[in-house]
Amino acid sequence: MRSVQNLKSKIVNYGKLIRFSHTVFALPFALASVTLASTLYPVTLRTLLWILVAMVGARSAAMGFNRLADRKLDALNPRTRGWEMPQEKVKIWEAALLTTLAALLFIYAAYRLNRLCFILSPVALAVIFFYSLTKRFTWASHLFLGLALSLAPMGTWLAVTGTPHYLAELLTPLLLSLAVLFWLAGFDTIYSLQDYDFDRSHGLHSIPVRFGVVWGLRLSSLFHLLTVLFLVLVGLSARLEVIYWVGMAVVSGILVWEHRLVRPDDLSRINRAFFDFNAYVSVGYFFTILGDLLWRA
């Protein structure tokens, strides 16, 4: 019985290590891209399955590498010192093994999808791993995180369509990827306010550290304005109709509400703004895309 409990505990710790619940951020946008691509190419159950496997593998590898790269900093940071690696609930070798297996799973899933995805899979891993190092030398680390997650819409589009015949075919997923880039950079800038004092004292870089809290929030607002702009362009590019535009109005309203929650003199609601509202944005956007295409079917 104790061995079963230990196994359950390990699984829970691994899940917390990679923040599996945060999959709700990237996955809906990836599925939105699949849904848009399905208007041009058929999407089989097999393709959808391997896309999901690739998403789980890529995200698990990214988070595992991030925890390994930041383990010493996490042990010093009051906000993170209770996490799994600083508390030695997950050993370094376990995290390294989990990261390696997840990366191999991602590459294998890409192989099962098509040749282009397989060729690009190491590039994708390099990008998502590189993000974990950027806060050591640039305030633009939030944009690098956005870039890492923005690979999901483009990658899933290519998983469905394969090698494009014309570059113009990539306009819609490119616009969606840019929207994800600035959306992620915007809310990660808000999230980083929790570590403002720690980052300053340990020589780490972020937009708030470089430009201050007030300008950090302003730049976050600008990023989310760009998010809305690129999502509007997605709708125009894909010739989406009334349900999409209604959904876009709701998504835009959620982003505005998110920024009303966090003020320079009141950072107490950062976690709610980070998780709840951005989950509403990603999931809501996916159902907006799905609803619009089903309405026209």
Side-chain angles (χ1 to χ4, degrees), residues 176-198:
L176 183 55
S177 292
L178 287 170
V180 170
L181 189 158
F182 286 108
W183 168 66
L184 201 292
F187 77 72
D188 189 61
T189 299
I190 294 174
Y191 188 70
S192 71
L193 290 171
Q194 297 178 104
D195 295 327
Y196 176 73
D197 291 330
F198 178 83

Side-chain angles (χ1 to χ4, degrees), residues 211-289:
F211 300 103
V213 173
V214 172
W215 271 101
L217 290 172
R218 289 175 180 172
L219 286 170
S220 174
S221 297
L222 174 61
F223 292 157
H224 282 163
L225 181 62
L226 290 172
T227 297
V228 172
L229 172 62
F230 282 117
L231 291 180
V232 166
L233 293 176
V234 169
L236 295 174
S237 172
R239 296 185 175 88
L240 300 174
E241 297 181 2
V242 63
I243 291 180
Y244 182 81
W245 299 112
V246 171
M248 269 301 305
V250 173
V251 166
S252 300
I254 293 172
L255 287 173
V256 170
W257 192 1
E258 175 182 351
H259 284 274
R260 291 179 66 87
L261 283 178
V262 183
R263 301 191 306 271
D265 59 345
D266 182 8
L267 304 178
S268 62
R269 293 177 288 184
I270 287 178
N271 278 325
R272 187 182 178 203
F274 170 72
F275 191 83
D276 292 352
F277 280 73
N278 288 292
Y280 299 154
V281 167
S282 59
V283 175
Y285 185 76
F286 166 64
F287 281 111
T288 292
I289 292 283

Side-chain angles (χ1 to χ4, degrees), residues 96-108:
L97 179 60
L98 178 63
T99 301
T100 301
L101 292 176
L104 292 174
L105 178 65
F106 169 66
I107 292 173
Y108 180 69

